[in-house]
Structures are given as structure tokens and as C-alpha cells.
């Protein structure tokens, strides 16, 4: 069997065209331009590149972006003040603080400071908790991108065995919860899982987000499985690879995402979606989604 290679770039392009149309409706009907504020602390080159990518995505679909660049010496209190200002700014619909932050700033207090209604990354405790009850205000972007890929390819989730390799708060755990919400039977594996292959061989849908190149080889993949590779690793020779032995596994799977060109394209796209959704809610709701649900 040779897998269908899922073109994340094409799916992202199609979705972005739809989002562009939604932005036009917001403009013409409500005179609202969706806006995303991105806070970047320090000069980490990888973070700068991620932020550039997000801002370019905003431009592509017509979202206004506001970049707040702060020096690495910024105190936690100063950062919280910036977030407070943006929380109170009705022209801003989404707030994103690019991680990682300098070591002297506590990430949880920063994330909890962001208004739930503007937490377009979906990292606030309220949004995290909502994944358990199926009641998030915003879904976290990478897991949401995985879900959208499955939807786009008409891959049934209900009743399927899903194995998620990786249990981080931003990818593995939320992905598992979102797919469980769609009535999959879900297993989460992590570094201390004994005999990883014992579990992955059961997977109808295998989602891998461990950050370990070549972790998933054909011998531990079920024939016909759908394999979604979230991993993004830079090898010493500069090549970007995922966590899956792509060449080997594509001969055994039914669907597979490449790296690059798979899930990575979807993460920023879902951030754009969440920002537009926030603007739509602000334009049309008389009460906030947070208060409605609380
Ligand atoms: P992370 O916080 O480092 O978490 C990695 C998870 O994988 C942990 O739960 C860890 O287990 C588990 N793990 C590590 N080695 C393992 C092994 N040998 N067997 C089984 N599980 C193992 O990383 P992350 O932020 O979730 O990111 C994971 C990968 O996805 C990275 O390559 C990252 O670059 C990529 N990523 C891509 C996107 C995108 O848009 N494409 C977005 C986010 C992340 P423990 O919990 O036991 O430590």
C-alpha cells in the first residue's frame, strides 16, 4: 500500500481563502477589521521567524496585526501591563505571547493574564479545561490543525483507535482530548511508555508529536493507518524532518502528512481562524462567549 500524501499547504490555502472572505464580511457588514496583537520578548531567532510567519498569515487574509517587541530585560510586571492594555483595547481581538519567554518571567501568570475571549492560542487554563468538557472558547491551534486535516480528508474519527505519541500541554494532550470528544478510543504515549510499538500498532489514526526524528518506523505502524506527523526537527545538516520515517511509513499507511508541508502549515492557519472567530463574536454577540459559558 502507498499512502495518500496529505498536502497541508493546499488545505491551508483553501481555508485561508475562506477566512479572507469572512474578513470581508466583517468589514462590509460590521465595519470591523479583525486584529491580532503579538508580543515578542527578547531576540530568539526562532521566535522572530515564527512571529514573522504569523504576521504574514494575518496580512494574507486581511487581519490587522500589531507587533509589540519588548527587550529580554522586560519584567513580568511590565509584560502583564502590556497584556492588560491589550485586554482593554476593543479593537484587538486576539492576543498571543510568543513562547518561550526569558527565564525570569513565569509563563503561567502571563497566559492567565490574557483575557479568555482573546486567548486565540487556546493556552489559557479556562480553554485547557474546556477541552475536557468539550466547551472551549478557542481550540489550541496545532491540535485544531490536526482535526481540520482529518475533516478535510473525510477521515472518520468516531469509533477509531487513535494513538497520540507525545503528551505535551500544547500538542499531545489537547489533540488526544479533541479526538476523544469525537468518540475515538484514545491512547496517549510518552517518554516513559514501555514498548511504544505495542500501542502504535493498534492505531487506526496515529498522531506523532514527540520531537524525535525517525521515532516511528514502519514496523510499529498498522497497515492502512492514517499517520499525522506533527514533529518538526532540524537535523545537523539543516534538513527539516518530522518524527516519522516518511519514506518507509508511506509504503504502509493509507494517509500520511509530510514534514515540511503537512501540519506545520495548519497551525498558523488555525490562529488566523481563531482571531477571525473572536472578531465575529465581538461584532455579533451581546454577551461574551466566556460569560455565556461560565
Ligand atoms: P515537548 O513539549 O517536548 O513534548 C514532547 C512529548 O513527546 C512529551 O510528552 C514527551 O514525553 C514525548 N516524547 C519524547 N520522546 C519520546 C519517545 N522517545 N517516545 C515517546 N514519547 C516521547 O514538545 P511539543 O511542544 O509537544 O512538540 C512536539 C513536536 O512537535 C516537536 O518536534 C515540535 O517542534 C513539533 N511542533 C510542531 C508544530 C507545528 O505546527 N508543526 C507545533 C508545535 C510543535 P514526556 O512527557 O514523558 O517527556
Amino acid at each position: 500500500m502507498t499512502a495518500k500524501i496529505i498536502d497541508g499547504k493546499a488545505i491551508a490555502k483553501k481555508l485561508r481563502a475562506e477566512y479572507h472572505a469572512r474578513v470581508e464580511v466583517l468589514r462590509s457588514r460590521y465595519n470591523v477589521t479583525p486584529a491580532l496583537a503579538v508580543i515578542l520578548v527578547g531576540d530568539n531567532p526562532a521566535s522572530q521567524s515564527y512571529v514573522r510567519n504569523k504576521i504574514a498569515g494575518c496580512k494574507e487574509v486581511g487581519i490587522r496585526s500589531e507587533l509589540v517587541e519588548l527587550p529580554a530585560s522586560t519584567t513580568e510586571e511590565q509584560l502583564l501591563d502590556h497584556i492588560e492594555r491589550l485586554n482593554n483595547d476593543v479593537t484587538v481581538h486576539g492576543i498571543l505571547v510568543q513562547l518561550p519567554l526569558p527565564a525570569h518571567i513565569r509563563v503561567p501568570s502571563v497566559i492567565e493574564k490574557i483575557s479568555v475571549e482573546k486567548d486565540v492560542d487556546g493556552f489559557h487554563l479556562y480553554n485547557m479545561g474546556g477541552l475536557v468538557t468539550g466547551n472551549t472558547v478557542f481550540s489550541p491551534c496545532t491540535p485544531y490543525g490536526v482535526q481540520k486535516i482529518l475533516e478535510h480528508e473525510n477521515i472518520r474519527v468516531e469509533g477509531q483507535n487513535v494513538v497520540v505519541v507525545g503528551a505535551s500541554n500544547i500538542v499531545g494532550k489537547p489533540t488526544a482530548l479533541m479526538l476523544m470528544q469525537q468518540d475515538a478510543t484514545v491512547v496517549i504515549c510518552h517518554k516513559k511508555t514501555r514498548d511504544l510499538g505495542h500501542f502504535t500498532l493498534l492505531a487506526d489514526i496515529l498522531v506523532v508529536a514527540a520531537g524525535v526524528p525517525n521515532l516511528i518506523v514502519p514496523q510499529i505502524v498498522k497497515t492502512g493507518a492514517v499517520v499525522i506527523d506533527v514533529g518538526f526537527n532540524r537535523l545537523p545538516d539543516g534538513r527539516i524532518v518530522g518524527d516519522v520515517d516518511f519514506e518507509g511509513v508511506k509504503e504502509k499507511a493509507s494517509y500520511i502528512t509530510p514534514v515540511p508541508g503537512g501540519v506545520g502549515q495548519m497551525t498558523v492557519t488555525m490562529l488566523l481562524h481563531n482571531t477571525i472567530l473572536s472578531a465575529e463574536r465581538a461584532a455579533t454577540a451581546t454577551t461574551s462567549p466566556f460569560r455565556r459559558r461560565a
Side-chain angles (χ1 to χ4, degrees):
M1 169 175 275
T2 300
K4 175 180 177 192
I5 297 168
I6 297 175
D7 186 347
K9 208 170 171 179
I11 301 172
K13 191 172 170 204
K14 184 168 164 245
L15 289 173
R16 287 182 190 205
E18 288 171 25
Y19 300 159
H20 191 274
R22 279 166 67 170
V23 170
E24 287 306 314
V25 170
L26 272 167
R27 274 223 194 91
S28 57
R29 199 171 296 168
Y30 301 101
N31 198 23
V32 166
T33 300
L36 174 69
V38 180
I39 303 181
L40 176 62
V41 185
D43 50 11
N44 177 329
S47 294
Q48 286 170 332
S49 151
Y50 291 138
V51 165
R52 272 198 302 274
N53 209 1
K54 289 167 187 175
I55 287 177
C58 285
K59 198 169 172 201
E60 186 185 334
V61 301
I63 293 173
R64 179 177 72 81
S65 59
E66 181 176 329
L67 175 60
V68 181
E69 280 183 287
L70 302 172
S73 58
T74 302
T75 64
E76 185 175 309
E77 203 185 343
Q78 287 168 330
L79 177 54
L80 295 181
D81 285 346
H82 279 283
I83 296 173
E84 179 71 18
R85 173 183 68 78
L86 294 165
N87 279 343
N88 294 327
D89 183 342
V90 292
T91 67
V92 169
H93 305 98
I95 303 170
L96 178 155
V97 178
Q98 184 63 45
L99 301 179
L101 287 169
H104 64 275
I105 299 178
R106 292 168 301 168
V107 174
S109 41
V110 171
I111 301 298
E112 298 330 313
K113 181 73 179 176
I114 298 172
S115 157
V116 172
E117 293 137 314
K118 299 189 181 188
D119 172 40
V120 286
D121 250 344
F123 291 165
H124 190 286
L125 264 186
Y126 183 89
N127 273 317
M128 288 283 176
L131 290 169
V132 175
T133 58
N135 198 21
T136 48
V137 179
F138 296 108
S139 298
C141 299
T142 303
Y144 196 17
V146 170
Q147 186 186 310
K148 280 280 178 191
I149 284 176
L150 296 173
E151 258 175 50
H152 182 272
E153 298 298 322
N154 289 318
I155 293 166
R156 190 165 61 92
V157 173
E158 186 187 312
Q160 301 295 296
N161 289 345
V162 171
V163 177
V164 180
V165 180
S168 72
N169 288 339
I170 62 164
V171 188
K173 284 183 205 159
T175 302
L177 287 164
M178 285 168 75
L179 297 177
M180 192 166 76
Q181 202 67 46
Q182 292 179 50
D183 295 327
T185 302
V186 180
V187 169
I188 309 183
C189 300
H190 46 77
K191 229 183 253 172
K192 297 200 177 135
T193 299
R194 282 182 286 125
D195 192 359
L196 182 65
H198 175 79
F199 295 97
T200 55
L201 274 169
L202 292 175
D204 302 310
I205 301 173
L206 179 60
V207 182
V208 193
V212 181
N214 273 321
L215 179 64
I216 304 298
V217 290
Q219 293 85 335
I220 63 168
V221 176
K222 180 178 168 181
T223 301
V226 174
V227 180
I228 308 290
D229 190 354
V230 183
F232 189 86
N233 311 292
R234 191 178 293 276
L235 298 180
D237 65 8
R239 274 185 304 136
I240 300 290
V241 296
D243 292 349
V244 175
D245 164 13
F246 181 79
E247 290 304 325
V249 171
K250 83 173 174 15
E251 299 306 324
K252 203 169 177 190
S254 56
Y255 291 82
I256 190 167
T257 57
V259 178
V263 177
Q265 295 289 325
M266 296 297 287
T267 298
V268 174
T269 304
M270 293 304 104
L271 174 70
L272 306 176
H273 168 271
N274 284 350
T275 304
I276 295 166
L277 180 63
S278 178
E280 288 170 344
R281 285 171 174 162
T284 57
T286 46
T287 54
S288 79
F290 178 47
R291 278 182 226 114
R292 269 209 308 273
R293 283 175 169 81

